[in-house]
Amino acid sequence: MVNEVVFRKGVRVSLRPIERGDIPMMHRWFNDPEVTQFLARTFPLYETEEEEWVENLSKSKTSFPLGIVTIQDPKLIGTVGLHEINWQQRTATTATIIGEKDYWGRGYGTEAKMLLLDFAFNALDLFAVLSRVIASNGRSLAYARKCGYEEVGRLPQWFRCQDGQRRDQVLLMVTQEKWRPLWIEYLQKTATIL
């Protein structure tokens, strides 16, 4: 049975809460070196760890991970999340992973991130959102920039990749003010498609 819950809906993807039924899919993704090559994940991920993580999601008020689901053929293809929310400063960080490789480089991450930023800026009224990207992760850098993120710093050789090479970690930030025109443009494009 397909999970019909929709938290945010775009043209090609929707976002919804992560559920127990997603565990086998995420377990596969987070043990695939090709999927995790830009994550700080070195050790195997056991299904019991994933179960525990999913069970504790509802307890957090500073982290909101969501599933990315295709609309045309409802399929979970990845996750996107708002994390480390600082309610006093009105800031947070984001992270996205497209676990299904057939969907890489096709704009699904960009749309999912725009929908997440709608939640961050329009619903939660956050001021700014930070993202950390490994310098060699061209796809993530490209879609972050499409969503309005700008480079604000680098940590030289901060990340040791699976190939043993060290890479810079790029710090990207988008403010509500910089993002808002992109959201208006997104809504206008969405209106013409629907």
Side-chain angles (χ1 to χ4, degrees):
M1 182 174 156
V2 175
N3 184 330
E4 296 178 8
V5 174
V6 175
F7 180 70
R8 289 286 185 277
K9 185 175 181 181
V11 174
R12 299 190 310 155
V13 300
S14 64
L15 305 182
R16 64 157 172 80
I18 294 170
E19 303 292 345
R20 281 184 216 94
D22 301 329
I23 292 171
M25 184 90 64
M26 293 187 305
H27 183 240
R28 179 172 53 83
W29 298 339
F30 290 109
N31 282 294
D32 183 336
E34 196 174 2
V35 174
T36 62
Q37 64 183 314
F38 300 114
L39 303 179
R41 177 124 203 118
T42 305
F43 301 108
L45 177 69
Y46 295 95
E47 195 167 344
T48 53
E49 291 176 86
E50 197 74 27
E51 289 168 356
E52 185 177 316
W53 179 74
V54 170
E55 289 299 320
N56 288 314
L57 288 178
S58 65
K59 297 175 186 170
S60 177
K61 300 303 174 211
T62 59
S63 185
F64 298 100
L66 298 162
I68 303 169
V69 178
T70 56
I71 290 174
Q72 184 176 358
D73 59 346
K75 177 181 183 176
L76 182 71
I77 62 166
T79 63
V80 63
L82 201 55
H83 307 287
E84 302 171 357
I85 299 172
N86 182 319
W87 293 109
Q88 182 179 0
Q89 299 302 321
R90 314 297 302 169
T91 59
T93 62
T94 59
T96 305
I97 184 167
I98 301 296
E100 291 299 313
K101 299 175 201 175
D102 291 345
Y103 294 84
W104 285 1
R106 296 175 48 196
Y108 290 96
T110 302
E111 184 172 355
K113 184 70 79 159
M114 287 298 285
L115 295 172
L116 184 72
L117 292 173
D118 170 41
F119 173 54
F121 293 136
N122 290 329
L124 301 181
D125 194 30
L126 296 185
F127 168 73
V129 175
L130 183 73
S131 185
R132 298 175 186 98
V133 178
I134 305 311
S136 57
N137 188 347
R139 283 192 312 270
S140 286
L141 287 169
Y143 91 77
R145 289 183 175 119
K146 287 179 187 174
C147 294
Y149 286 81
E150 296 176 340
E151 185 174 331
V152 294
R154 282 182 180 244
L155 298 172
Q157 299 185 0
W158 188 259
F159 190 84
R160 184 181 178 275
C161 295
Q162 291 177 4
D163 64 5
Q165 299 295 313
R166 298 206 71 84
R167 302 277 193 297
D168 293 357
Q169 185 175 66
V170 182
L171 303 176
L172 302 156
M173 185 178 82
V174 61
T175 63
Q176 184 180 139
E177 180 183 7
K178 293 264 187 183
W179 172 82
R180 192 149 308 283
L182 296 173
W183 180 244
I184 291 167
E185 183 181 316
Y186 172 82
L187 291 175
Q188 290 169 345
K189 285 180 185 175
T190 302
T192 60
I193 292 170
L194 301 174

